[in-house]
Amino acid sequence: GPKATGRRPRGDGLVPVASALGHHRDPCRDLGLPPGRQWIAWRTGHLDLLGSAAVYRKMKDWLQAGEWDAKQKGGGSPRRLA
């Protein structure tokens, strides 16, 4: 991680890190993901995410824990992105 190496993540070669974490300068487009729902798969390219055991475990943990808090963005279910 960044604290262990002192480096900043560069992105996966396709999606900028800020975008991957749900950040956007326009508040209407910012996903407002809480820090506990943000994670960086270090040394993993964009297409490598699909077959990554670490990514699978992280997503499985999030889904099993039911950590999605719809109240973060004013209630309701997560937005469907067009």
Side-chain angles (χ1 to χ4, degrees):
K3 292 180 182 173
T5 63
R7 296 179 307 178
R8 294 175 48 141
R10 295 184 329 207
D12 65 9
L14 186 61
V15 178
V17 173
S19 181
L21 296 175
H23 301 174
H24 197 280
R25 67 179 178 261
D26 178 349
C28 292
R29 293 181 175 222
D30 190 287
L31 298 180
L33 298 174
R37 293 289 281 193
Q38 298 176 29
W39 179 73
I40 295 173
W42 290 87
R43 297 187 179 133
T44 306
H46 189 79
L47 295 178
D48 298 326
L49 295 169
L50 295 170
S52 168
V55 171
Y56 173 81
R57 281 191 306 273
K58 190 63 167 174
M59 291 179 71
K60 183 178 175 186
D61 289 347
W62 281 334
L63 292 170
Q64 286 180 334
E67 289 184 22
W68 177 263
D69 182 7
K71 295 176 188 171
Q72 292 290 327
K73 291 301 260 186
S77 59
R79 293 186 292 162
R80 185 174 151 196
L81 302 176

